[in-house]
Amino acid sequence: MTIRVPIVENILNANDHLAVENNSRLESAGVYSINIMASPGAGKTSLIEQTLPRLKDKLRVAVVDGDIATSIDADRAANAGAQAAIQINTGGDCHLDAVMLRGALEQLDLTQFDLLIVENVGNLVCPASFKLGTHKSILIASIPEGDDKPYKYPGMYRGVDALVINKIDLLPYVPFKMDYFERGVEVLNPGVVTFPLSAKTGEGMDAWTNWLVEQVKSKR
Ligand code: MG
Ligand code: ZN
């Protein structure tokens, strides 16, 4: 009955060990890195697509996209101006892990980049449990998902360093109580830096991208 727990812990320990190695690799190349997590459809790829042109002439960016089967997201990142875009097909797995990221890092000349953006597989449960070795974890919530997500997925909200609230242009059309949502976030992750924005209209995008540039600079 109790056997499965230690097995799971061992897998996570092995993953954490590789995550530390990934982080040293990024550190020694001077690359700042973020892991973007969200449910499917929250707008991870759209946010990346709208972020890249705003970082043009400021940062050299590589994007690693985790996807169960396709390379659509990496193609979009490349078209939006990523200097490199690598697709990791997880072959059915619902999250990225440190081994997968290591495989992607091995394909990049990391000295050529300032920022690595990792788009995790769309999932609000297990990506939070698998460290990749990135510097910061970013969660994208979106208005159509509803205001109850912090209450339903506390593990995801608890562990992140920044929260993007996407699709705020839909607030007039969707029953989303921002104060209820924010109360849930505050309990799990007090004071987490939050960016309400719309990747579609561009509202709030500058605050997000300015913060990202500041993060990269403070790391140098
Ligand atoms: Mg995507
Ligand atoms: Zn998973």
Side-chain angles (χ1 to χ4, degrees):
M1 291 291 278
T2 57
I3 291 170
R4 290 184 64 83
V5 174
I7 289 171
V8 170
E9 279 176 358
N10 286 340
I11 290 168
L12 288 180
N13 288 341
N15 183 76
D16 286 0
H17 181 74
L18 285 171
V20 170
E21 283 182 15
N22 285 344
N23 190 261
S24 330
R25 190 185 283 245
L26 291 161
E27 280 281 315
S28 57
V31 181
Y32 185 82
S33 52
I34 59 172
N35 173 21
I36 297 185
M37 297 176 284
S39 62
K44 295 181 297 301
T45 312
S46 303
L47 181 74
I48 292 167
E49 223 167 20
Q50 295 306 314
T51 299
L52 287 166
R54 289 171 169 84
L55 300 179
K56 195 169 173 270
D57 305 325
K58 292 184 183 136
L59 301 174
R60 300 164 301 166
V61 187
V63 177
V64 169
D65 267 290
D67 196 277
I68 291 175
T70 76
S71 68
I72 295 169
D73 292 353
D75 295 342
R76 283 173 64 184
N79 289 335
Q83 274 85 1
I86 293 191
Q87 187 74 43
I88 301 174
N89 284 135
T90 63
D93 270 8
C94 49
H95 58 268
L96 291 180
D97 63 26
V99 183
M100 296 178 202
L101 182 60
R102 181 175 67 178
L105 295 183
E106 281 166 357
Q107 296 177 54
L108 291 166
D109 177 3
L110 290 176
T111 61
Q112 298 303 305
F113 305 102
D114 307 300
L115 173 66
L116 171 72
I117 299 176
V118 179
E119 178 182 346
N120 214 310
V121 180
N123 177 345
L124 279 182
V125 184
C126 43
S129 303
F130 290 85
K131 288 181 186 148
L132 303 180
T134 48
H135 293 90
K136 290 273 159 74
S137 298
I138 316 290
L139 174 62
I140 306 178
S142 70
I143 300 304
E145 287 171 71
D147 51 21
D148 59 352
K149 290 302 166 288
Y151 304 91
K152 289 192 168 178
Y153 301 96
M156 183 61 78
Y157 279 80
R158 199 177 277 127
V160 296
D161 302 298
L163 174 65
V164 169
I165 307 173
N166 191 19
K167 309 191 190 183
I168 55 168
D169 54 302
L170 296 180
L171 272 170
Y173 314 107
V174 176
F176 186 102
K177 291 199 185 68
M178 189 60 86
D179 57 339
Y180 178 67
F181 175 84
E182 285 175 339
R183 275 203 305 281
V185 173
E186 187 59 23
V187 168
L188 298 165
N189 200 332
V192 66
V193 58
T194 300
F195 300 98
L197 57 78
S198 167
K200 187 180 173 195
T201 67
E203 187 183 356
M205 281 297 296
D206 286 343
W208 153 249
T209 50
N210 291 342
W211 177 82
L212 207 47
V213 172
E214 282 306 309
Q215 296 298 305
V216 176
K217 283 185 180 161
S218 67
K219 193 73 193 146
R220 277 182 188 144

